[in-house]
């Protein structure tokens, strides 16, 4: 529990280390491992996750923004850090100052990067992002070999790696994954024909690491799975992961209401008989989606209890178990285990109509984290 609030997130760093080792165990010896710690480590805390992942054998870290990379450098992380997308040209000075490797998707950025590196009498490494079918960012697969060739002799630049990203890797045996793999392989083959070394080749995200060994190449990039959250039902059948995030609170108020009394805004729930209502001090500003109102459950004393009434910004209410004695200060679990019962992140995500990725990120926005 934190000192300032009766609601918090617990992060099990040993679980993260265990997951990194398990995922590395799926790859061939010598395959590099990137731990993706963007979005503040998917809500788990980027710095703590980075340290745990590196200690467990990760070779480098992946982030989404320059600010995320700079925060890690400022905290003393010295290992390789890569941006998984191309940043604005205005960031190049700080990229070079802090030894951060960007992705390249446009010639304009590549030229600007090379020019500034040349002015410093240095060489800037970059990873070429190839769009093989997801159509988000990247040089089109048919254009990528020539794009790479055109930069080979550009002073100040070094092609350190070539990568792509899958759109449907969370489905086993998916045809679109195979099609993207074939396109990517053609790009690599054509680059080599043109005597362009693609460097570190990588394509596999968490689900591809678990489901598509042919996509491992020289490095895998694992995000959601290092946190013990399954990308899909298909991956759950391949590798058991250890969930690292629990979401907990303490009962801030307990009151008894009569039959017919309503709870929360709009009185969308009324008691069918006299009952005890327990208030918890967290709400949709903390990642408990309002759409979960009257649909989710929590654990009190190892028993599942129904949430009742609309979820508020900072609080929500649950109905106490029949016959149970609940007191102010009793611990309640939203995600995680209590006694023999467990509520997984995926369950709450299903109720919210979203994915476990978003739920974890949301819980990390305002709730304080406790590490163990």
């Amino acid at each position: 529990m934190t000192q300032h609030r009766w609601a918090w997130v617990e992060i099990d760093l040993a679980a993260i280390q265990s997951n990194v080792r398990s995922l590395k165990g799926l790859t061939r010896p010598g395959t590099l491992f990137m731990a993706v710690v963007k979005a503040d480590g998917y809500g788990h805390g980027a710095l703590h996750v980075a340290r745990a992942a590196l200690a467990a054998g990760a070779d480098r870290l992946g982030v989404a923004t320059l600010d995320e990379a700079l925060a890690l450098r400022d905290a003393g992380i010295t290992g390789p850090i890569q941006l998984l997308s191309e940043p604005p040209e205005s960031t190049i000075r700080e990229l070079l100052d802090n030894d951060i490797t960007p992705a390249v998707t446009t010639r304009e950025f590549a030229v600007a990067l090379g020019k500034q590196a040349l002015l410093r009498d240095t060489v800037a490494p970059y990873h070429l992002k190839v769009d093989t079918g997801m159509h988000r960012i990247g040089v089109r697969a048919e254009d990528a070999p020539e794009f790479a060739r055109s930069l080979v002799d550009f002073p100040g630049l070094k092609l350190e790696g070539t990568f792509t990203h899958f759109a449907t890797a969370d489905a086993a045996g998916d045809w679109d994954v195979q099609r993207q793999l074939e396109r990517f392989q053609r790009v690599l083959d054509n680059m080599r024909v043109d005597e362009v070394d693609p460097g570190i080749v990588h394509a596999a995200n968490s689900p591809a690491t678990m489901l598509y060994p042919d996509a491992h190449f020289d490095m895998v990039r694992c995000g959601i799975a290092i946190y013990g959250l399954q990308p899909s039902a298909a991956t759950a059948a391949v590798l058991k992961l250890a969930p690292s995030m629990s979401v907990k609170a303490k009962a801030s108020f307990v009151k008894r209401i009569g039959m017919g009394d309503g709870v929360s805004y709009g009185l969308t729930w009324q008691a069918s008989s006299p009952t005890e209502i327990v208030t918890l001090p967290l709400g949709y500003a903390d990642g408990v989606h309002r759409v979960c109102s009257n649909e989710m459950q929590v654990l009190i004393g190892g028993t599942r209890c129904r949430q009742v009434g609309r979820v508020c910004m900072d609080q929500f209410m649950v109905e106490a178990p029949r016959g149970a004695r609940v007191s102010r200060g009793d611990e309640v679990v939203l995600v995680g285990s209590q006694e023999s019962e467990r509520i997984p992140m995926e369950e709450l995500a299903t109720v919210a109509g979203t994915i476990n990725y978003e739920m974890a990120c949301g819980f990390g926005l305002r709730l304080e984290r406790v590490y163990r």
Side-chain angles (χ1 to χ4, degrees), residues 171-226:
D174 187 78
W175 179 77
D176 279 305
V177 174
Q178 297 301 329
R179 183 169 64 169
Q180 285 192 255
L181 263 175
E182 290 169 7
R183 287 174 177 165
F184 191 47
Q185 189 61 61
R186 282 197 298 272
V187 170
L188 300 172
D189 291 343
N190 288 333
M191 289 173 66
R192 292 178 177 123
V193 167
D194 290 340
E195 298 184 341
V196 177
D197 181 359
I200 300 168
V201 176
H202 49 114
N205 53 4
S206 287
T209 299
M210 299 163 78
L211 298 174
Y212 295 95
D214 290 348
H216 290 179
F217 293 104
D218 302 317
M219 180 168 70
V220 296
R221 307 184 306 266
C222 291
I224 194 69
I226 71 174

Side-chain angles (χ1 to χ4, degrees), residues 257-269:
I257 64 173
M259 182 175 64
D261 284 346
V263 172
S264 196
Y265 292 115
L267 302 178
T268 59
W269 181 88

Side-chain angles (χ1 to χ4, degrees), residues 287-293 295-296 345-355 358-359:
V288 184
H289 292 208
R290 189 172 182 270
V291 73
C292 294
S293 298
E295 299 294 336
M296 62 181 282
M345 188 78 74
E346 289 78 9
E347 177 181 323
L348 195 55
T350 298
V351 174
T354 185
I355 55 176
E358 183 181 3
M359 297 303 300

Side-chain angles (χ1 to χ4, degrees), residues 30-349:
T31 303
L32 298 174
F33 189 97
M34 177 190 289
V36 181
V37 296
K38 62 182 181 176
D40 200 16
Y42 290 47
H44 293 67
L47 178 59
H48 286 82
V49 173
R51 287 172 174 163
L54 291 169
D59 300 284
R60 55 186 61 202
L61 304 171
V63 297
T65 69
L66 177 61
D67 285 343
E68 291 175 342
L70 293 177
L72 293 172
R73 284 283 185 253
D74 290 345
I77 298 295
T78 59
I81 300 177
Q82 290 183 224
L83 296 185
L84 296 173
S85 58
E86 182 183 277
E89 292 166 35
S90 58
T91 65
I92 290 175
R93 179 182 59 80
E94 290 178 285
L95 288 172
L96 296 173
D97 285 346
N98 293 278
D99 191 24
I100 296 163
T101 304
V104 163
T105 60
T106 68
R107 184 170 180 81
E108 292 81 3
F109 179 83
V111 169
L113 178 66
K115 285 181 176 178
Q116 290 202 39
L118 188 60
L119 289 173
R120 295 168 178 239
D121 194 26
T122 188
V123 176
Y126 71 94
H127 284 231
L128 174 64
K129 175 64 180 292
V130 180
D131 179 9
T132 56
M134 185 161 171
H135 301 311
R136 184 170 62 181
I137 59 170
V139 179
R140 295 195 313 170
E142 53 267 39
D143 300 329
E146 175 56 31
F147 183 96
R149 183 71 189 89
S150 72
L151 296 177
V152 165
D153 297 323
F154 195 95
L157 289 178
K158 175 179 173 53
L159 176 59
E160 184 185 72
T162 304
F163 72 113
T164 193
H165 192 66
F166 296 117
T168 59
D170 52 354
D174 187 78
W175 179 77
D176 279 305
V177 174
Q178 297 301 329
R179 183 169 64 169
Q180 285 192 255
L181 263 175
E182 290 169 7
R183 287 174 177 165
F184 191 47
Q185 189 61 61
R186 282 197 298 272
V187 170
L188 300 172
D189 291 343
N190 288 333
M191 289 173 66
R192 292 178 177 123
V193 167
D194 290 340
E195 298 184 341
V196 177
D197 181 359
I200 300 168
V201 176
H202 49 114
N205 53 4
S206 287
T209 299
M210 299 163 78
L211 298 174
Y212 295 95
D214 290 348
H216 290 179
F217 293 104
D218 302 317
M219 180 168 70
V220 296
R221 307 184 306 266
C222 291
I224 194 69
I226 71 174
Y227 305 99
L229 298 173
Q230 292 288 351
S232 69
T235 62
V238 173
L239 185 66
K240 185 176 180 180
L241 299 170
S244 57
M245 178 183 283
S246 298
V247 184
K248 300 181 178 181
K250 287 197 171 188
S252 59
F253 199 81
V254 181
K255 84 286 285 179
R256 188 161 185 83
I257 64 173
M259 182 175 64
D261 284 346
V263 172
S264 196
Y265 292 115
L267 302 178
T268 59
W269 181 88
Q270 287 86 34
S272 59
S273 62
T275 188
E276 281 197 327
I277 298 298
V278 181
T279 299
L280 303 179
L282 73 170
Y284 60 75
D286 303 294
V288 184
H289 292 208
R290 189 172 182 270
V291 73
C292 294
S293 298
N294 295 306
E295 299 294 336
M296 62 181 282
Q297 295 182 332
V298 303
L299 301 178
I300 301 178
T303 299
R304 283 178 172 259
C305 304
R306 181 186 177 190
Q307 185 275 325
V308 296
R310 284 185 179 151
V311 173
C312 308
M313 182 180 290
D314 314 298
Q315 301 175 87
F316 71 86
M317 282 64 76
V318 299
E319 185 178 20
R322 291 282 179 197
R325 183 178 179 84
V326 181
S327 302
R328 181 175 181 271
D330 284 355
E331 187 171 281
V332 180
V333 173
L334 284 73
V335 175
S337 300
Q338 192 179 61
E339 297 183 13
S340 61
E341 190 60 80
R342 177 173 176 265
I343 296 179
M345 188 78 74
E346 289 78 9
E347 177 181 323
L348 195 55

